[in-house]
Amino acid sequence: MQKIKLDKLDRKILRLMQADASLSAATIGEKVGLSQSPCWRRIQRFKDAGLIREQGVVFERKELGFDTMVFAHVKLTAHGRSKVAEFGETIRQFPEVMECHLLLGQVDFLLRIVTPDLEAYERFFFERLSQLPDVQEVTSSIALTEVKYTTELPI
């Protein structure tokens, strides 16, 4: 994918959309000094170029009962490293796994996992994660306090 060239107006539009995805093209246009149609065309250009992956809602996880957040470092066996894609496909099927990153270094993957409580994470760990083929080691760190969380890029 080729990077899209953005001018100052594009960046203002994107910042507004990041902060509040529910804003209409008319509202965004008003805030940046454009009428609805040219603003909508810019937003459509972003979508067509693949710049906007999805628009959604960010929920407060604790209000929905997901009080425990765990960061798990997963190391695969030497043989398992040839099956990185398979591991990724399997992990995508676990709704508890919010993020999965392939890493360079001592471990192969970093997972961000949310569960209602520590007991639910323990069940997930013993019944699902540690049972995956080629998983050699999992090191889990429990997040005590979320100091910062954002989905907004520094545009």
Side-chain angles (χ1 to χ4, degrees):
M1 176 171 38
Q2 189 176 10
K3 289 185 182 178
I4 185 172
K5 293 190 181 218
L6 301 173
D7 61 24
K8 286 184 180 185
L9 207 50
D10 289 335
R11 291 179 187 282
K12 285 181 181 179
I13 292 168
L14 290 172
R15 281 193 295 270
L16 287 167
M17 290 179 73
Q18 277 193 130
D20 186 353
S22 70
L23 294 175
S24 67
T27 303
I28 293 170
E30 184 179 305
K31 290 178 182 264
V32 300
L34 285 176
S35 63
Q36 178 180 355
S37 294
C39 185
W40 181 87
R41 281 194 295 274
R42 284 178 184 248
I43 294 169
Q44 195 59 45
R45 181 174 56 100
F46 303 151
K47 290 178 181 179
D48 293 344
L51 183 70
I52 297 173
R53 182 168 54 182
E54 59 189 57
Q55 287 178 260
V57 177
V58 178
F59 293 107
E60 182 58 53
R61 69 177 171 83
K62 286 189 174 187
E63 293 297 321
L64 290 170
F66 297 97
D67 293 331
T68 301
M69 183 166 47
V70 177
F71 292 93
H73 289 96
V74 178
K75 185 174 186 174
L76 301 179
T77 62
H79 175 72
R81 288 195 183 95
S82 66
K83 299 179 182 178
V84 164
E86 289 177 33
F87 180 85
E89 278 301 313
T90 303
I91 284 297
R92 283 186 191 96
Q93 306 307 311
F94 297 161
E96 299 89 346
V97 178
M98 303 297 296
E99 295 179 48
C100 175
H101 303 274
L102 178 62
L103 304 177
L104 292 174
Q106 299 291 324
V107 295
D108 298 302
F109 289 94
L110 172 65
L111 310 178
R112 182 171 68 91
I113 302 164
V114 297
T115 58
D117 51 40
L118 198 51
E119 291 79 20
Y121 175 70
E122 184 178 10
R123 281 191 306 278
F124 172 77
F125 175 83
F126 284 114
E127 295 171 10
R128 300 180 83 189
L129 184 59
S130 67
Q131 297 300 313
L132 292 177
D134 301 311
V135 169
Q136 176 180 332
E137 181 180 323
V138 178
T139 304
S140 302
S141 299
I142 310 287
L144 296 177
T145 303
E146 188 172 271
V147 176
K148 178 181 180 181
Y149 172 81
T150 184
T151 60
E152 295 182 33
L153 295 170
I155 297 174

Coordinates of all heavy atoms in Angstrom, one line a residue, residues 94-127:
F94 N -9.6 -16.5 19.5 CA -9.8 -16.4 20.9 C -10.3 -15.0 21.2 O -9.5 -14.0 21.1 CB -8.5 -16.7 21.7 CG -8.0 -18.1 21.6 CD1 -6.7 -18.3 22.0 CD2 -8.8 -19.1 21.2 CE1 -6.2 -19.6 21.9 CE2 -8.3 -20.4 21.1 CZ -7.0 -20.6 21.5
P95 N -11.5 -14.8 21.6 CA -12.1 -13.4 21.9 C -11.4 -12.7 23.0 O -11.4 -11.5 23.1 CB -13.6 -13.7 22.1 CG -13.7 -15.1 22.5 CD -12.6 -15.8 21.8
E96 N -10.8 -13.5 23.9 CA -10.1 -12.9 25.1 C -8.8 -12.1 24.6 O -8.4 -11.2 25.3 CB -9.7 -13.9 26.1 CG -10.8 -14.7 26.7 CD -11.2 -16.0 25.9 OE1 -10.7 -16.1 24.7 OE2 -11.9 -16.8 26.5
V97 N -8.3 -12.5 23.5 CA -7.0 -11.9 23.0 C -7.4 -10.6 22.2 O -8.0 -10.7 21.1 CB -6.2 -12.9 22.1 CG1 -5.0 -12.2 21.6 CG2 -5.8 -14.1 23.0
M98 N -7.1 -9.5 22.8 CA -7.4 -8.2 22.1 C -6.4 -7.8 21.1 O -6.7 -7.1 20.2 CB -7.6 -7.1 23.2 CG -8.6 -7.4 24.3 SD -10.3 -7.6 23.6 CE -10.5 -5.9 23.0
E99 N -5.1 -8.2 21.4 CA -4.0 -7.8 20.5 C -3.0 -9.0 20.5 O -2.9 -9.7 21.5 CB -3.3 -6.6 21.0 CG -4.1 -5.3 20.9 CD -3.3 -4.1 21.5 OE1 -2.1 -3.9 21.0 OE2 -3.8 -3.4 22.3
C100 N -2.4 -9.2 19.3 CA -1.4 -10.2 19.2 C -0.3 -9.6 18.2 O -0.6 -9.2 17.1 CB -1.9 -11.5 18.6 SG -0.7 -12.7 18.2
H101 N 0.9 -9.5 18.7 CA 2.0 -9.0 18.0 C 3.1 -10.0 17.9 O 3.6 -10.6 18.9 CB 2.5 -7.7 18.7 CG 1.5 -6.7 18.9 ND1 1.2 -5.7 18.0 CD2 0.7 -6.4 20.0 CE1 0.2 -5.0 18.4 NE2 -0.1 -5.4 19.6
L102 N 3.6 -10.2 16.6 CA 4.8 -11.0 16.4 C 6.0 -10.1 16.7 O 6.1 -9.0 16.3 CB 4.8 -11.4 14.9 CG 6.0 -12.3 14.5 CD1 6.1 -13.6 15.3 CD2 6.0 -12.5 13.0
L103 N 7.0 -10.7 17.5 CA 8.1 -9.9 18.0 C 9.4 -10.5 17.5 O 9.5 -11.6 17.1 CB 8.1 -9.9 19.5 CG 6.9 -9.4 20.3 CD1 7.1 -9.6 21.8 CD2 6.6 -8.0 19.9
L104 N 10.4 -9.6 17.5 CA 11.8 -10.1 17.3 C 12.4 -10.1 18.7 O 12.1 -9.2 19.5 CB 12.6 -9.1 16.5 CG 12.2 -9.0 15.0 CD1 13.0 -7.9 14.3 CD2 12.5 -10.3 14.3
G105 N 13.3 -11.0 19.0 CA 13.9 -11.1 20.3 C 13.7 -12.4 21.0 O 13.6 -13.4 20.4
Q106 N 13.7 -12.3 22.3 CA 13.6 -13.5 23.2 C 12.3 -14.3 23.1 O 12.3 -15.5 23.3 CB 13.8 -13.1 24.7 CG 15.2 -12.4 25.0 CD 16.3 -13.4 24.8 OE1 16.2 -14.5 25.2 NE2 17.4 -12.9 24.3
V107 N 11.2 -13.6 22.8 CA 9.9 -14.2 22.7 C 9.4 -14.0 21.3 O 9.8 -13.1 20.6 CB 8.9 -13.8 23.8 CG1 9.4 -14.2 25.2 CG2 8.7 -12.3 23.7
D108 N 8.4 -14.8 21.0 CA 7.8 -14.7 19.6 C 6.6 -13.8 19.5 O 6.4 -13.2 18.5 CB 7.5 -16.1 19.1 CG 8.7 -17.0 19.1 OD1 9.7 -16.6 18.4 OD2 8.8 -18.0 19.8
F109 N 5.7 -13.8 20.5 CA 4.5 -13.1 20.5 C 4.2 -12.3 21.8 O 4.6 -12.8 22.9 CB 3.3 -14.0 20.2 CG 3.3 -14.6 18.9 CD1 3.8 -15.8 18.6 CD2 2.6 -13.9 17.8 CE1 3.8 -16.4 17.3 CE2 2.6 -14.5 16.5 CZ 3.2 -15.7 16.3
L110 N 3.6 -11.2 21.7 CA 3.0 -10.5 22.8 C 1.5 -10.4 22.6 O 1.0 -10.0 21.6 CB 3.6 -9.1 22.9 CG 3.0 -8.1 23.9 CD1 3.3 -8.7 25.3 CD2 3.5 -6.7 23.8
L111 N 0.8 -10.9 23.6 CA -0.6 -10.9 23.6 C -1.2 -9.9 24.7 O -0.6 -9.9 25.8 CB -1.2 -12.3 23.9 CG -0.6 -13.5 23.1 CD1 -1.3 -14.8 23.5 CD2 -0.8 -13.2 21.6
R112 N -2.2 -9.2 24.3 CA -3.0 -8.5 25.4 C -4.3 -9.2 25.5 O -5.1 -9.3 24.5 CB -3.2 -7.0 25.0 CG -3.9 -6.2 26.1 CD -4.0 -4.7 25.8 NE -4.8 -4.4 24.7 CZ -6.1 -4.0 24.7 NH1 -6.7 -4.0 25.9 NH2 -6.7 -3.7 23.7
I113 N -4.6 -9.6 26.7 CA -5.7 -10.5 27.0 C -6.6 -9.8 28.1 O -6.0 -9.3 29.0 CB -5.2 -11.9 27.5 CG1 -4.3 -12.5 26.4 CG2 -6.4 -12.8 27.9 CD1 -3.5 -13.7 27.0
V114 N -7.9 -9.9 27.9 CA -8.8 -9.4 28.9 C -9.7 -10.5 29.3 O -10.2 -11.2 28.5 CB -9.6 -8.1 28.5 CG1 -8.7 -6.9 28.2 CG2 -10.5 -8.4 27.3
T115 N -10.0 -10.5 30.6 CA -10.9 -11.5 31.2 C -11.6 -10.8 32.4 O -11.2 -9.8 32.9 CB -10.2 -12.7 31.7 OG1 -9.2 -12.4 32.7 CG2 -9.5 -13.5 30.6
P116 N -12.8 -11.4 32.8 CA -13.5 -10.8 33.9 C -12.7 -10.8 35.2 O -12.8 -9.8 36.0 CB -14.7 -11.7 34.1 CG -14.9 -12.3 32.7 CD -13.5 -12.5 32.2
D117 N -11.9 -11.8 35.4 CA -11.1 -11.9 36.7 C -9.9 -12.8 36.5 O -9.7 -13.4 35.4 CB -12.0 -12.3 37.8 CG -12.8 -13.6 37.5 OD1 -12.2 -14.5 36.9 OD2 -14.0 -13.7 37.9
L118 N -9.1 -12.9 37.6 CA -7.9 -13.7 37.5 C -8.2 -15.2 37.3 O -7.5 -15.9 36.6 CB -7.1 -13.5 38.8 CG -5.7 -14.0 38.7 CD1 -4.9 -13.4 37.5 CD2 -5.0 -13.6 40.0
E119 N -9.3 -15.7 37.9 CA -9.7 -17.1 37.7 C -10.1 -17.4 36.3 O -9.7 -18.4 35.7 CB -10.9 -17.4 38.6 CG -10.6 -17.5 40.1 CD -10.5 -16.1 40.7 OE1 -11.1 -15.1 40.2 OE2 -9.9 -15.9 41.8
A120 N -10.7 -16.4 35.6 CA -11.1 -16.6 34.2 C -9.8 -16.7 33.3 O -9.7 -17.4 32.4 CB -12.0 -15.5 33.7
Y121 N -8.8 -15.8 33.7 CA -7.5 -15.9 32.9 C -6.8 -17.2 33.2 O -6.3 -17.8 32.3 CB -6.6 -14.8 33.3 CG -5.2 -14.9 32.6 CD1 -5.1 -14.8 31.2 CD2 -4.1 -15.4 33.3 CE1 -4.0 -15.0 30.6 CE2 -2.9 -15.6 32.7 CZ -2.8 -15.4 31.3 OH -1.7 -15.7 30.6
E122 N -6.9 -17.7 34.4 CA -6.3 -19.0 34.7 C -6.9 -20.1 33.9 O -6.2 -20.9 33.3 CB -6.4 -19.3 36.2 CG -5.7 -20.5 36.7 CD -5.9 -20.8 38.2 OE1 -6.7 -20.1 38.9 OE2 -5.2 -21.7 38.7
R123 N -8.2 -20.1 33.8 CA -8.9 -21.1 32.9 C -8.5 -21.0 31.5 O -8.1 -22.0 30.8 CB -10.4 -21.0 33.0 CG -11.0 -21.6 34.3 CD -12.5 -21.7 34.2 NE -13.2 -20.4 33.9 CZ -13.4 -19.4 34.9 NH1 -13.1 -19.6 36.1 NH2 -14.0 -18.3 34.5
F124 N -8.4 -19.7 31.0 CA -8.0 -19.5 29.6 C -6.6 -20.0 29.4 O -6.3 -20.7 28.4 CB -8.1 -18.0 29.3 CG -7.5 -17.6 27.9 CD1 -8.2 -17.9 26.8 CD2 -6.3 -17.0 27.9 CE1 -7.6 -17.6 25.5 CE2 -5.7 -16.7 26.7 CZ -6.4 -17.0 25.5
F125 N -5.7 -19.7 30.3 CA -4.3 -20.1 30.2 C -4.2 -21.6 30.2 O -3.6 -22.2 29.3 CB -3.5 -19.5 31.4 CG -2.1 -20.0 31.4 CD1 -1.1 -19.4 30.6 CD2 -1.7 -21.1 32.2 CE1 0.2 -19.9 30.6 CE2 -0.4 -21.6 32.2 CZ 0.6 -21.0 31.4
F126 N -4.8 -22.3 31.2 CA -4.6 -23.7 31.3 C -5.4 -24.5 30.2 O -4.9 -25.6 29.8 CB -4.9 -24.2 32.7 CG -3.8 -23.9 33.7 CD1 -4.1 -23.1 34.7 CD2 -2.6 -24.5 33.6 CE1 -3.1 -22.7 35.6 CE2 -1.6 -24.2 34.5 CZ -1.8 -23.3 35.5
E127 N -6.6 -24.1 29.9 CA -7.4 -24.8 29.0 C -7.2 -24.5 27.5 O -7.5 -25.3 26.7 CB -8.9 -24.6 29.4 CG -9.2 -25.2 30.7 CD -10.6 -24.8 31.2 OE1 -11.4 -24.3 30.4 OE2 -10.9 -25.0 32.4

